[in-house]
Structure formats: structure tokens, C-alpha cells
Amino acid sequence: MKETSFQEFLEGIRNRRIPFNTVFELTSRCNLSCVHCYQSRGTRDGLTGAAVRSILEQLKEAGCLKLTFTGGEPTLRKDFQDIYREAHEMGFAVTLYTNGTLLGRETRSLLAARPPLAVEVSLYGAAPETHDGVTGKPGSFDATVDNLRRMSEDGISVVVKTVVMTLNFQEQGRLRRLAEGLGAPLRSTFRIFSPADRDRSVDSLRLPARDIRNLSSKQPPDALPAEEDETEPQESFLCHAGSDSCCVGSDGDVFPCTVLRWRCGNLKTQSFHEIWNTSPVLARWRAVTERDYPSCLACSFRDRCRFCPGMGFMEHGNALVPSQELCRITKAMWSDR
């Protein structure tokens, strides 16, 4: 019998239009107010526990295997433990995105007893004043670091994630060492997405090109390279959002991706099967090819670019217009190499 590689496995999933990888935003509420956050923060959970369970059952039936819970802050939901437990029992490989401040003893015990693929925790500085300055919440650094340490000690797979910005770029070396001391890899990104609230600007948070270049190439002692995904070419120009992955929003909306928020339907009034297989929006997006980006085809950095149509969507309201910010980052990272 011929052995199938993981790449061939993924190719088969895409050809059969199986939503292998789904991100589920359990709530739009958050207990922090991060200065760079692109999301619109809500005041309530848009889906009942029964509705969440129904969606999980529909995702399982559709062939979803990898499930990521995020928000907002997903652990704000009073029924988060029940939702996590049910997802785990259904056989999903679950990843949890969290700010790490609300992981009490019961939640940590649940994660230890029913291990996720990983708990990915946001940490924006190596010192309380830096991290808390980003989150707008005094004490958030101590709470996050304490819970990271406790989870690591309990054998839970943890990952530290950060966004490199003007407020924290000089601490990146210390942040990497802090993460290593907590038993966690550090994943970083230069990408700061344009907020859904057009009245907010994140321009002052975005690193100048010279600092991006220094951090990604020269790597001085107090710096770190960008995350591995940003320094290696993609397997193809376009990602597979809407083909093997999607996002379920906190109010039941379905999107191709968390940042490509082109509404495909709503699970309060439609089944997942109906949306995934008959949505005109998904059909239009699946028909898009790299030829729809002529300026990118002619770009000398094309083979280095980690192209993201969602970043263009957040920036311009149109996924067919490339993100100027992503172009700037890519050129800064690779222009001298």
C-alpha cells in the first residue's frame, strides 16, 4: 500500500472541500483592551450553549478535525469548561487562544486532564509595565505569566505569542528568554491588522522598516527573528481559507477566515452544510486565483511574501486589493538579502 504524505492528505481534503481546520470565536467579549486589537469588542455572547453544541456537531459531521477556540477571550464564557469538554469528547484536536489571565485552577485541571494541542497565550512584553501598557489592564502580566508557568508545570503544551510593535520591540530578546524559562516557544509577528473600527489608527504601533530589517536579519542581542512562518515562503501564493478552513464568529456568522470577514451565512438561520456547500460568497472566493492580483505577479518579492488576503480586506474592505502594510513589511524584511 502506498504511504500517503501529510501534504497529499491536505491536498485531498482541499479537493474534497472538507473544513478540516475551523476557528470558533466563542465570544466577542474581552477583559483586556489591547491597543493593537483589530476586533470590535462586544458586551454579550452571541450564541447560547445549546447553539454552540449544535455547531460543534455540524462541524464534526462536515469533517472538521482541528478546532481552535478564540474570542474575544473565550474563557469569559461561564460555560467554557462545558464547551471545551464536549469538543474534546467529540474528538476534535483543540487549540485554545487566550490572554491567559482567567485560567483558574478548575480550567487548568480540565486542560491537564483533557490535553489540547496547545494553549497559545498572548504576551506583549518582558516586564509588567510594557505588557500591561499594551493590554490596558494592570496586573495582567503577572496573571498571564503565573498561569503560563502553572500550565507548563502541569504538562500542558503552551505557546507564547507576541505582536512586535513600537511599544515592545526592544524587549524581544528578554521576552524570548522569559518564554524559554516558562517552557514555551515564542511566536512573533510584525503584522498589526487595521481595526474594524475605522476611527482607530494603529499606525503609531507599526515598526519602521529599519527596525523590522534589524530584527529579522541582523538579530542584535536584544532582538529576535520574526516567526518562522514569516521568514519562509508559503507553499502557494494564496492560502486555503474557505477551502479547507473557515471561521465561525461569535454571533454565528461564517467567514473564510478570522480576518477575511466576508460574510458567507449565519448558523442561526442556516446549517453549516448549506453555507459551506452553497454560499455564493464562498463560491466566488474559491474561484479567486493569483491572477486576480496582477501587481503581486509582477513583484520581485512575490516568492518571499506571506500573502494574506485577509490583511488586505481589513485594510481596504476588499480582499482583492493587496495590503500595503504587508508589502511594506515584506520589503523591509527582504530588501537587503
Side-chain angles (χ1 to χ4, degrees):
M1 179 180 294
K2 180 185 175 183
E3 186 173 325
T4 301
S5 70
F6 184 66
Q7 191 57 43
E8 290 173 322
F9 170 71
L10 288 179
E11 213 42 56
I13 283 173
R14 291 161 189 158
N15 291 337
R16 294 170 62 190
R17 295 279 190 260
I18 296 173
F20 169 77
N21 184 7
T22 301
V23 176
F24 198 158
E25 298 172 345
L26 292 179
T27 183
S28 61
R29 295 184 296 133
C30 190
N31 59 319
L32 305 182
S33 300
C34 296
V35 293
H36 62 287
C37 185
Y38 62 83
Q39 293 183 318
S40 297
R41 187 164 63 170
T43 57
R44 62 183 181 84
D45 301 329
L47 296 169
T48 64
V52 170
R53 284 188 288 276
S54 173
I55 292 170
L56 292 178
E57 290 168 355
Q58 293 178 63
L59 289 174
K60 180 181 179 180
E61 184 178 351
C64 175
L65 296 177
K66 187 176 185 297
L67 183 66
T68 300
F69 285 140
T70 184
E73 173 48 47
T75 60
L76 272 173
R77 285 192 66 120
K78 293 181 179 179
D79 57 357
F80 169 75
Q81 292 181 31
D82 294 333
I83 292 170
Y84 178 88
R85 187 179 292 106
E86 290 182 33
H88 198 275
E89 289 175 353
M90 287 183 185
F92 291 109
V94 182
T95 297
L96 174 62
Y97 289 175
T98 175
N99 61 44
T101 60
L102 302 175
L103 299 174
R105 181 181 300 173
E106 286 188 5
T107 300
R108 294 196 309 271
S109 296
L110 173 62
L111 296 173
R114 300 173 180 268
L117 278 181
V119 178
E120 301 194 8
V121 181
S122 301
L123 192 59
Y124 301 117
E129 56 269 22
T130 305
H131 177 83
D132 294 357
V134 172
T135 66
K137 181 84 168 184
S140 59
F141 175 87
D142 290 338
T144 296
V145 170
D146 181 61
N147 279 321
L148 274 166
R149 182 175 290 110
R150 290 175 185 271
M151 285 190 291
S152 185
E153 290 172 350
D154 289 341
I156 300 168
S157 176
V158 292
V159 174
V160 172
K161 299 191 298 187
T162 196
V163 177
V164 185
M165 60 186 96
T166 54
L167 302 178
N168 65 10
F169 78 101
Q170 293 181 325
E171 294 186 12
Q172 295 306 300
R174 284 179 285 159
L175 182 55
R176 177 174 290 281
R177 291 188 290 275
L178 173 60
E180 289 173 350
L182 294 168
L186 176 66
R187 296 179 184 168
S188 63
T189 184
F190 295 122
R191 300 183 189 190
I192 300 178
F193 288 83
S194 299
D197 179 358
R198 297 302 182 185
D199 292 331
R200 287 180 55 224
S201 173
V202 291
D203 289 347
S204 65
L205 302 175
R206 290 170 168 165
L207 281 185
R210 65 178 182 277
D211 293 320
I212 293 174
R213 192 173 299 114
N214 287 338
L215 288 169
S216 59
S217 59
K218 296 179 183 178
Q219 300 177 25
D222 197 30
L224 82 164
E227 69 175 283
E228 183 180 354
D229 283 350
E230 287 187 359
T231 57
E232 293 185 2
Q234 297 185 132
E235 62 181 67
S236 59
F237 180 73
L238 282 173
C239 66
H240 301 285
S243 294
D244 68 2
S245 59
C246 66
C247 170
V248 176
S250 62
D251 59 356
D253 282 339
V254 176
F255 309 101
C257 170
T258 55
V259 288
L260 181 48
R261 299 187 87 80
W262 198 0
R263 188 176 180 272
C264 305
N266 188 279
L267 291 166
K268 290 180 179 178
T269 57
Q270 300 167 272
S271 70
F272 183 83
H273 181 272
E274 177 187 356
I275 295 171
W276 187 252
N277 291 288
T278 68
S279 165
V281 171
L282 275 176
R284 286 171 61 193
W285 177 244
R286 288 166 180 164
V288 170
T289 70
E290 59 185 293
R291 290 189 295 276
D292 292 295
Y293 300 90
S295 63
C296 296
L297 287 176
C299 179
S300 60
F301 295 95
R302 176 180 174 276
D303 292 338
R304 296 290 193 181
C305 181
R306 299 291 301 180
F307 185 74
C308 177
M311 198 165 184
F313 184 86
M314 295 297 288
E315 196 170 304
H316 306 290
N318 186 345
L320 296 180
V321 180
S323 163
Q324 294 178 354
E325 173 62 9
L326 183 55
C327 290
R328 186 186 74 88
I329 292 171
T330 302
K331 291 173 182 177
M333 289 178 65
W334 297 106
S335 59
D336 291 338
R337 300 194 190 187

